[in-house]
Amino acid sequence: MKNILEAPFLIEMVRTCTNMYQHGWDERNGGNISVLLNEADVAEYVDVRADTVDRVIPTGFEAPALDGKYFLVTGTGKYFKNVQYAPEVNLGLVRLINGGKVAQLLWGFTDGGKFTSEFPAHMMSHAARLTVDPENRVVMHCHPANLLAMTYVHDLGSRVFTRTLWQMCTECIVVFPDGVNVLPWMLCGTNEIGIATAEQMNTARLVVWSQHGIYGAGKDLDETFGLIETAEKAAEIYMKIAHLPLKNTITDEQMHLLEGRFGVRAREGYLE
């Protein structure tokens, strides 16, 4: 077997966790990431035979569409700042079985830990996004300060929230033309918030949890990080100018020009 610490998927996961912490998005143990992996890639680094699995962990939910799939995931109670120093403690590689009711631990969580408490929300979001985009591989959750702040002072309707973000940066409608969906405050770590988030993932790759954080989904870690980074930059601009009289904006007509120039289509009904 190859050394899993040298696996490209593990190196990129460590780099992303470190970058997110340095951005201030994942204080303490706030935030979590899950990456869907191909069995062929996993098998180069760990023994995937069922009789070699040392630990099985009940998931507390069902996800038949994900049965037999492999995920690299951050651990519950783990600090993102420590991932780069001890990935084998702070990350785990699991395989879902029994319709998603059980996770087999193939590598990691060497201190006896387990996957993030938001694992149900991640898996439900993966299942939802795969029906929309079979190439989806990443679900990412974090706590960007400006997006959180915005949920305290801005209307929480998904359309109006999206339009405000689009108006803050020219690139926003190009980067996330599907917009941002917004959920009201809900208790985290529950199946209920997982179900609600997955439902919103059917129409957008970004879902804001009011007064909590954001969920992003994408084809790889770079794309997903970039989605959140762009939305957070827009929210930062909004929070800097929200108390000031607005003299200029990006108009709907201008956003239609951006659609044509970059070959994207804004979410139906979100532009006049």
Side-chain angles (χ1 to χ4, degrees):
M1 292 291 174
K2 297 180 181 178
N3 183 358
I4 194 170
L5 296 179
E6 298 175 356
F9 59 78
L10 190 74
I11 291 171
E12 188 60 25
M13 180 72 142
V14 171
R15 287 174 176 169
T16 300
C17 289
T18 302
N19 200 9
M20 292 173 71
Y21 174 75
Q22 291 172 343
H23 269 62
W25 297 354
D26 297 275
E27 73 291 336
R28 199 173 181 269
N29 63 317
N32 23 79
I33 308 174
S34 58
V35 181
L36 173 60
L37 301 173
N38 295 320
E39 181 174 350
D41 294 331
V42 171
E44 293 187 42
Y45 300 95
V46 298
D47 192 339
V48 298
R49 292 176 298 173
D51 59 0
T52 65
V53 176
D54 291 328
R55 289 179 59 199
V56 294
I57 308 170
T59 63
F61 65 92
E62 294 185 30
L66 302 180
D67 191 79
K69 295 191 180 298
Y70 297 79
F71 293 90
L72 181 63
V73 61
T74 52
T76 185
K78 304 303 183 185
Y79 290 29
F80 268 39
K81 71 182 182 67
N82 294 333
V83 173
Q84 62 182 315
Y85 305 115
E88 71 283 355
V89 173
N90 297 285
L91 302 174
L93 176 57
V94 302
R95 174 174 54 204
L96 294 185
I97 60 171
N98 294 351
K101 296 178 183 178
V102 176
Q104 298 174 313
L105 181 63
L106 303 176
W107 173 86
F109 301 145
T110 55
D111 63 347
K114 68 173 190 175
F115 44 72
T116 170
S117 62
E118 302 292 356
F119 195 64
H122 275 253
M123 295 301 105
M124 293 175 191
S125 290
H126 274 288
R129 286 305 306 170
L130 285 169
T131 64
V132 178
D133 180 3
E135 297 302 314
N136 192 93
R137 290 292 179 271
V138 175
V139 171
M140 182 181 293
H141 170 57
C142 56
H143 307 155
N146 292 288
L147 280 164
L148 264 73
M150 193 170 164
T151 66
Y152 286 90
V153 299
H154 195 282
D155 186 285
L156 297 180
S158 295
R159 181 180 185 273
V160 67
F161 202 94
T162 292
R163 285 178 55 83
T164 294
L165 293 178
W166 282 351
Q167 290 167 350
M168 293 302 104
C169 295
T170 296
E171 67 174 344
C172 284
I173 196 171
V174 178
V175 175
F176 51 96
D178 48 345
V180 174
N181 284 339
V182 184
L183 287 175
W185 187 92
M186 298 179 68
L187 184 62
C188 57
T190 65
N191 285 2
E192 287 73 20
I193 197 169
I195 293 169
T197 303
E199 181 178 354
Q200 298 300 319
M201 282 284 180
N202 285 314
T203 53
R205 293 167 295 160
L206 292 170
V207 179
V208 171
W209 286 6
S210 296
Q211 295 84 48
H212 183 147
I214 191 169
Y215 258 67
K219 296 179 181 179
D220 54 38
L221 286 163
D222 268 353
E223 180 187 54
T224 313
F225 183 96
L227 284 169
I228 295 174
E229 186 176 36
T230 306
E232 169 65 359
K233 179 65 173 288
E236 179 183 5
I237 295 170
Y238 173 78
M239 293 305 300
K240 287 181 176 180
I241 66 171
H243 63 292
L244 301 171
L246 195 65
K247 294 186 176 182
N248 305 293
T249 190
I250 302 173
T251 67
D252 282 28
E253 181 181 1
Q254 291 167 335
M255 283 192 267
H256 282 305
L257 291 175
L258 289 167
E259 286 182 298
R261 173 65 179 85
F262 291 97
V264 299
R265 183 172 179 80
R267 187 164 169 177
E268 187 70 28
Y270 273 40
L271 292 180
E272 299 296 337

